Amino acid sequence: MADTQKRSNKALYVLLVLAATFIGLAIWNFVRVSQYSTQDNEFLSLSAQQAVLSQSIVRAADQALAGKNDAFQTLLNARDQYDRSINLMGNGDPQTLMPAATGEVLSEVNVLQSQWGTARAAIQTILAAHDTILVANQAAGGINKTMPDLIKGWEDFSADLAKYGNVRNVVYAARQPYYGQTIQRDVQLLTTGGNGDVSFVSQELPDTIQNFTRITHGMLDGSPQLGIVSVTQSRLAAPLRNINIQFNKINDNLNSITPLLSLLVKVQQANRSIHHVSGQLLTNAQAITTSYHNQINSRLFRPLVGYV
């Protein structure tokens, strides 16, 4: 009877130990599952943020080039957020204990890091040119406001000049609307985003401004070099004076832009780089998400020990 009682107590003890063990393992497994879930959510939220930022950076860069002051702060904030997300992916998060990326995910993160380096350098170029961009856009606003009337003035003047003027004068006057349109287009290319390669503007714009200026002065004062004689007909004098007034307004703005040409072209190159790499950033952020989901699915789950 005593032996039976001992065996019963021993069996009960074993059952209690097993029950306690299972409960402990269940609690440990619950903690591990919760920890994995928190870490997974954090990592996936970072890659989702990167996908959104890759597109918002393009918009902010374009708006910054168009002289919208708030866009510079948006671009700066996006840069800092991307920096943080890349750092957390590569090094882990000590606050939440999210581990650093490993395996295939780490390979994708390294590719993203390289792509982001290109985009970040381009962003820095735009941010550093803040004052230059704003000055250029202010000048562009003045040119866009005055140039249409100046072009119309030259068109009308050219038509009247054909009735009374020197043949060389007529030929050169007829070129002025084209030069005016070219100047306006080139200035627009320098002060808006998403225009691709605009390096040709650094040579074309100064040459066009020079031609536009020489012909204007030639009509007023004559130019032996161009074969232009001073326009003296009374009915043409008033329209030419009006042209000169409008030209002087535009010339002040052109004088503000021309010293900035080299930097403005670099800014455009930076914007072009952002447009190019943003698609790569988006694609790679999506690839990281896919690889991370694969990593989650590849984890082994065992009833007794949970995730391994």
Side-chain angles (χ1 to χ4, degrees):
M1 187 70 172
D3 292 339
T4 301
Q5 184 66 37
K6 288 181 180 180
R7 284 196 296 271
S8 298
N9 290 339
K10 185 176 180 180
L12 180 61
Y13 175 77
V14 170
L15 288 174
L16 289 174
V17 170
L18 288 174
T21 301
F22 278 119
I23 291 172
L25 288 173
I27 293 173
W28 178 84
N29 188 63
F30 177 78
V31 171
R32 289 289 289 161
V33 169
S34 298
Q35 186 180 46
Y36 270 121
S37 178
T38 300
Q39 293 169 353
D40 292 344
N41 287 335
E42 180 179 2
F43 197 96
L44 290 172
S45 69
L46 291 174
S47 62
Q49 180 189 55
Q50 289 167 349
V52 173
L53 287 173
S54 66
Q55 302 306 297
S56 64
I57 286 170
V58 174
R59 290 192 296 271
D62 285 349
Q63 291 171 355
L65 263 65
K68 295 183 179 180
N69 202 33
D70 291 346
F72 289 93
Q73 186 61 49
T74 301
L75 198 58
L76 177 62
N77 292 342
R79 182 205 66 184
D80 292 346
Q81 290 172 18
Y82 217 107
D83 280 345
R84 177 180 178 276
S85 68
I86 285 280
N87 180 64
L88 289 176
M89 281 184 168
N91 300 308
D93 187 345
Q95 293 183 345
T96 64
L97 301 181
M98 182 191 78
T102 58
E104 183 181 349
V105 178
L106 178 58
S107 297
E108 298 285 1
V109 170
N110 288 337
V111 172
L112 185 68
Q113 179 74 59
S114 176
Q115 294 167 344
W116 173 240
T118 300
R120 195 183 194 284
I123 290 171
Q124 288 300 110
T125 297
I126 294 174
L127 292 176
H130 171 273
D131 293 345
T132 295
I133 293 171
L134 294 185
V135 169
N137 272 274
Q138 184 176 7
I143 292 169
N144 290 329
K145 181 179 179 180
T146 305
M147 186 62 83
D149 290 338
L150 181 54
I151 290 172
K152 181 64 166 58
W154 274 112
E155 289 173 343
D156 294 342
F157 179 79
S158 179
D160 290 339
L161 189 63
K163 303 173 185 177
Y164 310 101
N166 178 284
V167 173
R168 296 285 293 176
N169 285 41
V170 173
V171 170
Y172 279 107
R175 296 179 183 177
Q176 291 294 76
Y178 167 75
Y179 288 142
Q181 291 167 358
T182 301
I183 290 170
Q184 189 172 16
R185 182 203 65 194
D186 286 355
V187 169
Q188 186 77 2
L189 288 174
L190 290 172
T191 53
T192 56
N195 295 316
D197 185 9
V198 299
S199 56
F200 68 92
V201 172
S202 61
Q203 184 61 49
E204 180 182 77
L205 183 57
D207 289 346
T208 305
I209 292 172
Q210 183 183 51
N211 291 334
F212 197 67
T213 302
R214 290 173 65 196
I215 292 172
T216 301
H217 290 166
M219 295 292 171
L220 290 165
D221 306 319
S223 173
Q225 185 179 9
L226 296 178
I228 297 176
V229 297
S230 175
V231 175
T232 57
Q233 292 90 338
S234 57
R235 66 172 297 157
L236 297 176
L240 187 57
R241 282 196 301 271
N242 185 53
I243 284 175
N244 191 46
I245 291 171
Q246 293 175 324
F247 169 77
N248 287 333
K249 291 180 181 178
I250 282 182
N251 199 42
D252 289 340
N253 290 310
L254 291 175
N255 288 336
S256 296
I257 285 183
T258 48
L260 309 176
L261 275 179
S262 178
L263 182 53
L264 290 174
V265 168
K266 288 181 180 178
V267 166
Q268 285 292 330
Q269 290 171 340
N271 182 256
R272 182 187 179 196
S273 178
I274 289 172
H275 274 261
H276 175 70
V277 81
S278 66
Q280 298 175 6
L281 292 174
L282 175 59
T283 298
N284 203 257
Q286 293 169 340
I288 288 174
T289 299
T290 300
S291 295
Y292 197 83
H293 276 297
N294 291 338
Q295 189 177 83
I296 292 173
N297 295 333
S298 68
R299 291 178 189 148
L300 297 179
F301 182 83
R302 297 177 181 173
L304 292 180
V305 295
Y307 284 101
V308 296

